[in-house]
Amino acid sequence: MQNPGMTEDGPLFRELLWVHGMVRSDRDRVEALVAAMPELHAEEIRGEVTALKTDGPLWKLRVNCLHYCRFVHAHHNAEDALLFPAVRREGEGMNPIVDRLEADHRRVSDLLDEVEEACEGPLESEGAARDRLSAALSELAVHLLEHLDYEEESLRTTLNSWKSLPWG
């Protein structure tokens, strides 16, 4: 992804892309774990839950989902507390962008909470619990990926204009 009119993205924007890349990659891994669950027999799932093997799919699903949700929450909290106030200081034209990004954060936060709650459910049973987690991850994927794309597009020029952290 190259910035028109500039030869290279600056370090602040590259860091944002790096963090967003991790978020996208982890979301894909967690979603792949959910997709694999229907292929497992109920007895296999019960055994995995009982043993809590670190290489078992249910253990990985719970750990990865919860780690992922907490990471995204922390990233968005840091943006809300540090990045967005600095972006607002760039001029009133940035306010609608930050307003949307903050609203996205609230929506994504609710969806992350839904994923966390769904992970705590009885995933070893067939049907509803798995469907709930799958639906929560799918909805999160749509909203989160739209948010990341919009944030990158909207903040690229501003972040590339900064020579240092405006809050540090």
Side-chain angles (χ1 to χ4, degrees), residues 137-154:
L137 282 168
S138 294
E139 190 173 358
L140 174 64
V142 169
H143 291 286
L144 183 58
L145 295 177
E146 286 175 1
H147 166 73
L148 297 177
D149 290 343
Y150 178 75
E151 185 171 78
E152 291 165 5
E153 176 186 313
S154 301

Side-chain angles (χ1 to χ4, degrees), residues 78-165:
E79 286 182 338
D80 289 344
L82 299 172
L83 179 63
F84 293 165
V87 170
R88 285 187 189 279
R89 289 191 294 271
E90 291 294 310
E92 288 186 26
M94 297 304 291
N95 286 337
I97 292 169
V98 174
D99 290 345
R100 175 176 167 182
L101 292 172
E102 288 174 338
D104 285 353
H105 282 186
R106 289 188 299 275
R107 176 71 175 131
V108 167
S109 178
D110 291 345
L111 293 170
L112 290 168
D113 291 345
E114 174 64 20
V115 168
E116 287 187 60
E117 289 173 20
C119 276
E120 297 299 325
L123 297 178
E124 69 275 3
S125 66
E126 301 295 329
R130 290 181 188 196
D131 291 346
R132 178 182 178 203
L133 180 56
S134 180
L137 282 168
S138 294
E139 190 173 358
L140 174 64
V142 169
H143 291 286
L144 183 58
L145 295 177
E146 286 175 1
H147 166 73
L148 297 177
D149 290 343
Y150 178 75
E151 185 171 78
E152 291 165 5
E153 176 186 313
S154 301
L155 298 184
R156 172 178 247 140
T157 301
T158 300
L159 294 183
N160 281 328
S161 72
W162 293 348
K163 302 300 178 215
S164 62
L165 298 175

